[in-house]
């Protein structure tokens, strides 16, 4: 867990951690045209609760993760917020 404090707003959250350094949000990755980038997402969180509510706009699957980009010209079929990485 990572403690985020920004004046009047403070909360505990999960954060990107690398080599013992944690940040929220994660770091900005900069590349130039022609660069290749490979990333492996491992979701090591505990299992999601059984019998959870799956109603849209409600808290559900709190231990599932998602990885998507902002600002890139990528096919939305590949970079979608609807994909998820279940725990384990």
């Amino acid at each position: 867990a990572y403690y985020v404090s920004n004046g009047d707003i403070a909360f505990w959250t999960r954060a990107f951690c690398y080599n013992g350094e944690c940040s929220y949000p994660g770091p900005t990755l900069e590349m130039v045209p022609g660069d290749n980038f490979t990333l492996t997402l491992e979701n090591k969180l505990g299992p999601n609760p059984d019998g959870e509510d799956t109603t849209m706009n409600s808290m559900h699957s709190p231990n599932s993760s998602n990885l998507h980009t902002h600002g890139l010209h990528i096919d939305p079929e590949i970079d979608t917020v609807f994909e998820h990485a279940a725990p384990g």
Side-chain angles (χ1 to χ4, degrees):
Y2 181 71
Y3 188 69
V4 177
S5 179
N6 185 10
D8 294 335
I9 300 172
F11 56 93
W12 286 94
T13 187
R14 294 173 275 197
F16 174 86
C17 298
Y18 180 75
N19 287 339
E21 295 291 324
C22 296
S23 66
Y24 177 83
T28 299
L29 305 175
E30 296 183 26
M31 291 165 244
V32 297
D35 282 354
N36 290 315
F37 179 74
T38 302
L39 180 114
T40 302
L41 173 65
E42 290 183 48
N43 184 349
K44 295 182 179 181
L45 298 171
N48 284 313
D50 290 331
E52 62 183 315
D53 182 6
T54 57
T55 305
M56 291 294 285
N57 297 322
S58 68
M59 178 65 168
H60 58 278
S61 302
N63 288 342
S64 289
S65 294
N66 174 276
L67 176 71
H68 64 279
T69 61
H70 291 250
L72 299 179
H73 299 283
I74 295 179
D75 183 342
E77 293 294 321
I78 296 169
D79 182 31
T80 174
V81 298
F82 298 108
E83 291 290 329
H84 70 276

